[in-house]
């Protein structure tokens, strides 16, 4: 980390913007005009445009006590790209707006932008604009992501079909357990600042919290194997909440099998240290940024070829409700918080 501290006031607003954006090299043909004018110009050459935006507020969405600025920049981009992929689209541009106080130095913003550009490079998106303003105290970050999709290949939440397989990518619940570790160490730090944080051995779950990735590989797999999910969304609020969205918007029910929920070994061990149920973390924890989607049963043979995809259940009629079958064989109604043990 840099030890220098340059006050933002030495650059001024325009100097700061120029400093933060001077090395941008546009990499998408659709980015016709980037930073430096009143607006960016994007031409998707006959494709449809997908657009999404997210606002992140210090103290609400992130805690700078344990979030390195580089990771925060990276994650601010990733959470938006994840929404574009969840539409079965390819992200091509982002805009990034920041509200900053004089608490932040130019070096601190450089670190933040390092993360932003690392994500842009990895996912081949162009930063084409933004806005810079002052804030009284906290850091405010707003990212808008723009993507393209072949006309009518975008995938909504509302079009799952009865009998479809319910699938997820990757492993679930680990980001939440990572957050628990970080919050625990923060508490210890506040009570006794001299104590070194004890996060040894928890790099998997903490990495899932601080440095998530977006599932571009799954969208690429769909394209390569000629699969279009019937419904899809990203998993940012926990599996049960997202399942309820798909069921409600598609006007269907579903059966989820607890034993099929993909849970990483490292996460299981970490959850046990907090004496919490790994399944509950997957159902109710957030920020995994995996994808959940539905697919006709006839496509099953294609799906099994991808080890990153798990079939976790299937869609039923609306009258059948939204249920989880537990490992013990119990059948419980799924609620946004996980499942309702009282409903049988
Ligand atoms: P305006 O007065 O039209 O808001 P600005 O002076 O704020 O213009 O911005 C100048 C250019 O710099 C624009 O292209 C804008 O999109 C871009 N820009 C401003 N702030 C940022 C930022 N934080 N990150 C990236 N680009 C930015
Ligand atoms: Mg402006």
């Amino acid at each position: 980390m840099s030890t220098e501290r340059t006050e933002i006031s030495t650059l001024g607003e325009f100097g700061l913007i120029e400093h933060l954006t001077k090395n941008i090299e546009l990499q998408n043909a659709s980015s016709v005009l980037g930073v430096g004018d009143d607006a960016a110009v994007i031409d998707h050459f006959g494709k449809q445009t997908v657009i999404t935006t997210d606002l992140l507020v210090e103290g609400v969405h992130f805690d700078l006590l344990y979030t390195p600025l580089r990771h925060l920049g990276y994650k601010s981009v990733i959470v938006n790209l994840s929404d574009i992929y969840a539409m079965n689209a390819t992200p091509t541009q982002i805009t990034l707006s920041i509200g900053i106080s004089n608490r932040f130095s130019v070096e601190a913003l450089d670190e933040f932008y390092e993360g932003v550009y690392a994500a842009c490079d990895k996912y081949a998106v162009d930063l084409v604009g933004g806005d810079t303003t002052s804030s009284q105290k906290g850091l405010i970050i707003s990212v808008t992501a723009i993507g393209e999709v072949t006309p009518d290949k975008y995938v909504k939440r509302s079009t799952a079909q009865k009998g479809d397989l319910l699938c997820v990518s990757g492993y679930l619940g680990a980001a939440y357990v990572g957050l628990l570790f970080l919050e625990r160490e923060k508490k210890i730090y506040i009570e006794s600042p001299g104590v070194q944080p004890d996060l040894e051995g928890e790099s998997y779950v903490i990495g899932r919290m601080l440095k998530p990735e977006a599932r571009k590989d799954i969208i690429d797999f769909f394209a390569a194997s000629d699969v279009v999910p019937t419904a899809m969304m990203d998993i940012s609020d926990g599996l049960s909440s997202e399942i309820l969205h798909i069921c409600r918007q598609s006007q269907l029910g579903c059966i989820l099998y607890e034993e099929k929920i993909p849970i990483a070994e490292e996460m299981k061990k970490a959850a046990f240290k907090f004496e919490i149920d790994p399944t509950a973390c997957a159902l109710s924890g957030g920020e995994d940024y995996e994808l959940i989607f539905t697919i006709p049963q006839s496509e099953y043979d294609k799906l099994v070829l991808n080890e990153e995809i798990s079939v976790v259940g299937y869609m039923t009629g609306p009258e059948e409700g939204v249920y989880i079958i537990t490992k013990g064989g119990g059948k419980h109604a799924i609620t946004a918080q996980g499942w309702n043990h009282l409903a049988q």
Side-chain angles (χ1 to χ4, degrees):
M1 209 165 81
S2 167
T3 50
E4 270 175 61
R5 182 183 167 91
T6 309
E7 297 300 331
I8 289 169
S9 56
T10 62
L11 294 180
E13 183 189 333
F14 300 126
L16 176 67
I17 295 170
E18 153 73 10
H19 172 81
L20 293 174
T21 60
K22 61 176 184 281
N23 292 326
I24 293 177
E25 284 173 25
L26 298 176
Q27 38 185 340
N28 289 286
S30 52
S31 304
V32 177
L33 186 65
V35 168
D37 216 304
D38 296 309
V41 178
I42 298 169
D43 188 339
H44 279 306
F45 307 103
K47 298 258 178 98
Q48 288 178 337
T49 301
V50 177
I51 182 159
T52 176
T53 192
D54 258 307
L55 181 63
L56 303 171
V57 176
E58 182 179 355
V60 179
H61 301 101
F62 58 91
D63 189 331
L64 287 178
L65 199 82
Y66 54 70
T67 311
L69 280 164
R70 197 176 185 286
H71 289 68
L72 182 62
Y74 194 85
K75 184 167 173 175
S76 305
V77 177
I78 293 298
V79 301
N80 281 274
L81 302 189
S82 178
D83 280 324
I84 299 282
Y85 290 124
M87 298 301 291
N88 198 32
T90 302
T92 43
Q93 287 85 17
I94 59 163
T95 64
L96 168 64
S97 299
I98 46 176
I100 36 176
S101 71
N102 57 11
R103 232 176 86 216
F104 296 92
S105 63
V106 174
E107 287 76 13
L109 288 178
D110 280 341
E111 261 180 61
F112 176 78
Y113 268 76
E114 250 178 58
V116 168
Y117 288 126
C120 286
D121 275 352
K122 178 153 187 185
Y123 292 87
V125 295
D126 294 321
L127 175 60
V128 294
D131 201 17
T132 307
T133 181
S134 55
S135 112
Q136 287 279 355
K137 239 174 95 205
L139 175 61
I140 298 165
I141 304 161
S142 172
V143 178
T144 296
I146 296 156
E148 57 181 38
V149 65
T150 307
D152 302 323
K153 279 281 161 62
Y154 63 85
V155 176
K156 300 193 285 186
R157 300 174 176 183
S158 57
T159 36
Q161 303 295 311
K162 183 175 174 177
D164 281 352
L165 300 172
L166 180 67
C167 308
V168 299
S169 67
Y171 294 102
L172 301 179
Y176 175 71
V177 183
L179 179 65
L180 292 181
F181 275 105
L182 292 166
E183 287 286 343
R184 184 189 72 186
E185 292 310 310
K186 175 187 169 180
K187 225 170 128 218
I188 295 172
Y189 175 82
I190 288 171
E191 282 160 12
S192 36
V195 179
Q196 283 298 310
D198 176 20
L199 298 169
E200 200 65 24
E202 305 303 345
S203 59
Y204 173 73
V205 292
I206 289 167
R208 291 285 291 170
M209 177 64 201
L210 293 181
K211 198 175 176 293
E213 297 291 349
R215 294 314 303 250
K216 174 182 192 301
D217 60 319
I218 301 294
I219 301 311
D220 291 344
F221 167 77
F222 290 152
S225 33
D226 209 13
V227 171
V228 181
T230 46
M232 182 156 59
M233 64 184 295
D234 74 338
I235 306 180
S236 52
D237 293 338
L239 182 59
S240 46
S241 159
E242 319 307 17
I243 285 178
L244 289 171
H245 280 299
I246 289 182
C247 287
R248 197 188 63 241
Q249 290 183 241
S250 296
Q251 299 184 322
L252 292 175
C254 92
I255 295 284
L256 169 71
Y257 293 97
E258 181 186 12
E259 64 180 358
K260 304 276 187 205
I261 299 173
I263 287 176
E265 266 318 301
E266 296 97 314
M267 172 304 214
K268 208 185 272 178
K269 283 190 203 134
F272 287 147
K273 289 187 192 165
F274 280 97
E275 296 179 5
I276 48 174
D277 177 14
T279 302
C281 297
L283 288 173
S284 321
E287 308 217 51
D288 289 317
Y289 300 105
E290 296 294 342
L291 293 171
I292 177 167
F293 55 93
T294 55
I295 219 135
Q297 287 187 29
S298 55
E299 303 283 49
Y300 178 76
D301 290 348
K302 294 180 186 169
L303 282 192
V304 288
L305 299 174
N306 191 326
E307 288 182 353
E308 290 292 314
I309 294 174
S310 305
V311 178
V312 294
Y314 64 94
M315 307 308 290
T316 61
E319 67 290 346
E320 292 171 72
V322 184
Y323 285 96
I324 182 170
I325 308 289
T326 63
K327 287 175 185 162
K331 185 175 176 181
H332 305 281
I334 293 176
T335 66
Q337 284 73 39
W339 73 73
N340 184 351
H341 290 269
L342 298 175
Q344 288 298 323

